[in-house]
Amino acid sequence: GENVEQHPSTLSVQEGDSAVIKCTYSDSASNYFPWYKQELGKRPQLIIDIRSNVGEKKDQRIAVTLNKTAKHFSLHITETQPEDSAVYFCAASETSGNTGKLIFGQGTTLQVKP
Amino acid sequence: DTAVSQTPKYLVTQMGNDKSIKCEQNLGHDTMYWYKQDSKKFLKIMFSYNNKELIINETVPNRFSPKSPDKAHLNLHINSLELGDSAVYFCASSTPRGLWSNEQFFGPGTRLTVL
């Protein structure tokens, strides 16, 4: 089955700096890669996603890149702000199947210091 | 309007008891899920139902039994609770299956503490 590895487990940056979180996946059939943000005590919420027919996607300060050959994808946050502090999860899914199953990475705790 | 709701938000109980968590979504989604988030924040899929049919059943003790009375509700019943069941349980629902995305909408979570 699919396995998703996420690094680093914790990341501390100064406000205004960039943050990068990396994930690798094992199943070449995976074709959908979302990123979820979970603030302390809250539910995970989708912040950006990318499909396997696209190599890069950007939404304001957040961007995601995908390398299908190497089976890895990354989240890039630029000009970080204290409110970006949260746990970030990557995930992988094979959407043409009939389960919609998401396999999550282990999570990265991002701390943005003011 | 709350899209995915769960009750209760907190559940504190003794070992050996039986408890239930309820989930409802008003998004019109066909698929619902239960996840367990342990103390290390790891999110692990437990079950999924599509239109009342069980489609994902991960390696979960059979003390856990999901029930979906209709496609808007997915409940989780846990028998003979153990200390290791302490976690936050999230319900989620997703858009109809398709080739382009499977965005999942999570409920607020139920923090279960077994004493």
Side-chain angles (χ1 to χ4, degrees):
Chain A
E2 175 66 278
N3 183 48
V4 178
E5 296 286 332
Q6 182 173 346
H7 299 280
S9 57
T10 59
L11 181 58
S12 182
V13 300
Q14 286 296 134
E15 184 177 359
D17 287 351
S18 295
V20 181
I21 302 170
K22 298 182 179 182
C23 290
T24 60
Y25 61 99
S26 61
D27 189 349
S28 57
S30 290
N31 56 6
Y32 173 65
F33 307 92
W35 286 87
Y36 284 78
K37 176 184 180 182
Q38 185 179 25
E39 296 177 357
L40 188 62
K42 300 286 181 65
R43 73 190 79 192
Q45 291 190 290
L46 181 74
I47 54 170
I48 195 168
D49 56 13
I50 192 167
R51 303 181 292 270
S52 59
N53 60 340
V54 176
E56 185 173 355
K57 183 176 178 181
K58 191 172 181 180
D59 182 4
Q60 298 182 356
R61 295 185 298 108
I62 294 173
V64 59
T65 59
L66 171 65
N67 183 328
K68 283 173 55 180
T69 304
K71 292 191 209 157
H72 63 70
F73 55 114
S74 301
L75 178 71
H76 304 252
I77 306 174
T78 57
E79 301 171 32
T80 53
Q81 301 167 3
E83 51 265 38
D84 294 330
S85 296
V87 180
Y88 290 81
F89 294 94
C90 63
S93 177
E94 196 272 292
T95 62
S96 61
N98 63 357
T99 68
K101 182 176 174 179
L102 282 180
I103 301 300
F104 284 89
Q106 298 89 336
T108 297
T109 300
L110 173 63
Q111 181 188 27
V112 180
K113 298 178 184 175
Chain B
D1 279 337
T2 303
V4 183
S5 59
Q6 291 178 231
T7 55
K9 190 169 174 61
Y10 299 98
L11 190 50
V12 181
T13 188
Q14 298 288 332
M15 248 185 350
N17 284 350
D18 303 339
K19 291 293 179 186
S20 292
I21 307 171
K22 296 186 176 182
C23 178
E24 177 181 2
Q25 55 95 5
N26 62 7
L27 297 166
H29 290 167
D30 290 330
T31 310
M32 296 183 71
Y33 310 81
W34 277 112
Y35 287 89
K36 179 180 181 180
Q37 186 170 47
D38 60 25
S39 58
K40 295 183 179 178
K41 302 293 185 186
F42 187 53
L43 266 172
K44 186 166 170 29
I45 181 79
M46 299 173 68
F47 302 102
S48 177
Y49 272 74
N50 176 260
N51 209 4
K52 302 195 296 178
E53 178 189 351
L54 180 66
I55 57 172
I56 296 175
N57 186 357
E58 294 293 295
T59 309
V60 177
N62 57 15
R63 298 182 294 104
F64 291 78
S65 52
K67 280 190 172 52
S68 182
D70 55 62
K71 73 174 192 176
H73 296 85
L74 179 61
N75 303 324
L76 183 65
H77 188 76
I78 315 171
N79 289 327
S80 305
L81 278 155
E82 300 177 357
L83 294 176
D85 297 332
S86 295
V88 179
Y89 292 84
F90 284 100
C91 175
S93 71
S94 68
T95 53
R97 293 189 302 273
L99 292 176
W100 301 117
S101 76
N102 181 33
E103 179 178 0
Q104 295 189 13
F105 294 80
F106 284 78
T110 296
R111 182 174 292 278
L112 171 65
T113 303
V114 182
L115 303 175

